[in-house]
């Protein structure tokens, strides 16, 4: 899988980790609220091999969610054609994760395999709905499914109604097969741009409601632009059209941040002048300056130092 997609997936998971909760709920039918503690573990694992030097394998993500029960998860993001090798790699990762965190008590080794799933960015006829492990041991057989999330099957309505914001940077994969049409047809490209304008407006609304933070929104937009520029390298109009929108949104977000900072400074200067006059109460200063009472009290305290 391309390093850009891999990097985007890891970045949004590590920098906006609460966004993984709705995805886990969707894949594993969990009922996490979003207030759980998430503990990420190192992605680097050294694979032990006979007759060969140990070599390093890097998983996409490996973490524990502390809900009603402590549960371990392992997610991989994949864009290539399923060929069986992914299942082998996945099991190697799972076995090494289990072994790395195994416990030995009185010569009894206990290993816990993670809840594992794969996010497929592209759908092929051969893309299965699930993978399956069958482990035959002298003590009996163990078998279980590894679920697959097919990103292209989720519409924008699905993504926003289910809170699957982690999928937004990869939404462009749903349109990949039509890039040539978009590149040569301005009307078709305009429809695609309208979808991304809708994404930006919905993200703004989520930020205004306090559902996501400014950093989360910026990360989603930035990674969306990175993925578009990578996947549409051969289609200049698509790159400029959608990639340009993402870059513009980032500049607007930064400009708004600077503007808001300027407004906050002006409010504080106004409050300080009123406090210096000493004619108004803290409540009145807060009301007339537009600051919170706590902020005015802090300014008043600093003024007395």
């Amino acid at each position: 899988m391309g390093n850009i997609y891999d990097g985007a997936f890891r970045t949004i998971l590590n920098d906006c980790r609460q966004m993984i909760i709705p995805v886990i709920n969707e894949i594993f039918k969990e009922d996490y609220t979003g207030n759980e503690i998430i503990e990420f573990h190192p992605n680097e694992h050294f694979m032990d091999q006979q007759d060969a030097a140990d070599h390093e394998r890097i998983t996409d993500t490996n973490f524990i969610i502390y809900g009603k029960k402590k549960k371990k998860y392992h997610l991989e993001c994949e864009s290539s054609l399923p060929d069986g090798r992914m299942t082998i790699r996945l099991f190697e990762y799972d076995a090494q994760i289990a072994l790395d965190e195994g416990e030995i008590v009185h010569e009894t080794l206990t290993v816990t395999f993670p809840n594992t799933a794969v996010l497929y960015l592209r759908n092929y006829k051969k893309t299965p709905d699930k993978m399956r492990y069958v482990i035959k041991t002298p003590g009996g057989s163990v078998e279980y499914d590894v679920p697959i999330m097919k990103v292209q099957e989720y519409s924008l309505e699905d993504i926003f109604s289910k809170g699957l914001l982690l999928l937004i940077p990869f939404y462009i994969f749903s349109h990949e097969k039509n890039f040539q049409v978009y590149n040569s047809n301005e009307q078709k490209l305009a429809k695609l741009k309208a979808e991304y304008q809708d994404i930006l407006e919905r993200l703004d609304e989520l930020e205004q409601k306090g559902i996501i933070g400014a950093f989360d929104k910026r990360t989603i937009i930035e990674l969306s632009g990175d993925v578009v520029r990578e996947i549409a390298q051969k289609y200049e109009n698509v790159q400029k059209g959608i990639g340009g929108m993402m870059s513009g949104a980032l500049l607007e977000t930064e400009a708004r941040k600077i503007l808001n900072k300027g407004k906050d400074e002006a409010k504080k200067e106004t409050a300080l002048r009123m406090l210096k006059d000493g004619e108004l109460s803290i409540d009145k200063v807060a009301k007339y300056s537009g600051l919170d009472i706590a902020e005015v009290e802090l300014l008043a305290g600093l003024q007395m130092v």
Side-chain angles (χ1 to χ4, degrees):
M1 145 178 203
N3 288 334
I4 293 295
Y5 312 143
D6 193 23
F9 182 65
R10 290 184 191 174
T11 296
I12 198 168
L13 276 178
N14 285 288
D15 292 354
C16 311
R17 57 184 55 188
Q18 289 304 124
M19 288 186 188
I20 192 59
I21 294 292
V23 173
I24 292 297
N25 284 343
E26 176 72 9
I27 294 174
F28 294 100
K29 310 306 177 189
E30 299 282 9
D31 58 356
Y32 294 122
T33 64
N35 297 319
E36 293 78 12
I37 295 173
I38 305 174
E39 178 182 281
F40 277 81
H41 289 192
N43 291 339
E44 297 81 8
H45 298 275
F46 288 90
M47 317 300 290
D48 300 324
Q49 291 189 333
Q50 273 190 324
D51 305 323
D54 292 350
H55 66 285
E56 187 179 26
R57 282 281 182 84
I58 299 177
T59 63
D60 279 346
T61 185
N62 166 28
F63 56 95
I64 290 174
I65 296 179
Y66 292 90
K68 295 176 183 176
K69 293 182 179 179
K70 169 184 169 183
K71 287 190 179 181
K72 190 185 306 183
Y73 293 93
H74 167 210
L75 291 188
E76 291 289 326
C77 189
E78 185 65 36
S79 63
S80 60
L81 180 69
D83 58 3
R85 288 182 293 180
M86 179 63 191
T87 311
I88 294 173
R89 291 202 311 272
L90 207 64
F91 181 76
E92 285 183 334
Y93 296 154
D94 285 348
Q96 198 64 49
I97 289 169
L99 190 58
D100 287 349
E101 299 172 15
E103 295 180 350
I104 297 179
V105 179
H106 303 307
E107 298 306 316
T108 298
L109 171 64
T110 300
V111 293
T112 302
F113 274 66
N115 295 275
T116 301
V118 182
L119 277 68
Y120 266 100
L121 303 182
R122 291 186 173 101
N123 281 5
Y124 301 93
K125 289 183 179 179
K126 291 178 62 177
T127 305
D129 294 324
K130 62 185 178 183
M131 297 177 180
R132 190 166 181 79
Y133 293 162
V134 178
I135 308 166
K136 295 183 178 181
T137 78
S141 295
V142 176
E143 53 186 83
Y144 60 95
D145 293 335
V146 174
I148 287 175
M149 171 180 265
K150 298 177 182 179
V151 174
Q152 289 185 355
E153 292 186 350
Y154 288 84
S155 66
L156 278 185
E157 197 56 45
D158 292 332
I159 288 172
F160 280 97
S161 65
K162 295 182 177 184
L164 303 173
L165 305 183
L166 183 148
L167 303 185
I168 291 176
F170 309 108
Y171 178 70
I172 192 65
F173 278 86
S174 301
H175 292 280
E176 185 179 17
K177 64 181 181 181
N178 295 318
F179 279 173
Q180 190 168 352
V181 175
Y182 297 143
N183 208 55
S184 57
N185 187 314
E186 290 186 6
Q187 289 182 329
K188 297 287 187 182
L189 181 59
K191 288 185 178 180
L192 179 61
K193 290 173 69 176
E195 282 195 36
Y196 271 83
Q197 183 60 40
D198 183 37
I199 289 173
L200 293 173
E201 289 173 1
R202 290 193 188 208
L203 290 175
D204 276 342
E205 185 178 352
L206 291 177
E207 183 191 10
Q208 290 166 13
K209 290 180 177 179
I211 296 173
I212 62 173
F215 178 80
D216 296 329
K217 185 182 78 170
R218 181 183 176 86
T219 300
I220 292 172
I221 295 172
E222 186 173 1
L223 294 176
S224 296
D226 290 344
V227 172
V228 167
R229 282 185 285 274
E230 176 68 16
I231 196 175
Q233 288 184 49
K234 298 178 181 178
Y235 304 94
E236 183 179 1
N237 291 335
V238 176
Q239 269 208 356
K240 288 182 177 179
I242 307 303
M245 284 182 69
M246 297 299 103
S247 297
L250 286 176
L251 290 174
E252 182 183 344
T253 299
E254 193 62 30
R256 193 182 304 164
K257 180 180 175 182
I258 293 171
L259 178 62
N260 288 339
K261 184 178 180 181
K263 289 180 178 178
D264 287 342
E265 291 302 319
K267 289 178 181 179
K268 288 177 182 177
E269 288 180 10
T270 300
L272 283 169
R273 284 198 296 270
M274 288 188 283
L275 288 169
K276 188 175 182 180
D277 288 343
E279 297 179 1
L280 297 173
S281 66
I282 295 290
D283 289 354
K284 293 285 187 181
V285 172
K287 179 180 178 180
Y288 296 145
S289 68
L291 293 175
D292 293 336
I293 291 177
E295 290 179 286
V296 175
E297 288 176 342
L298 178 61
L299 289 174
L302 291 173
Q303 194 179 45
M304 294 175 62
V305 175

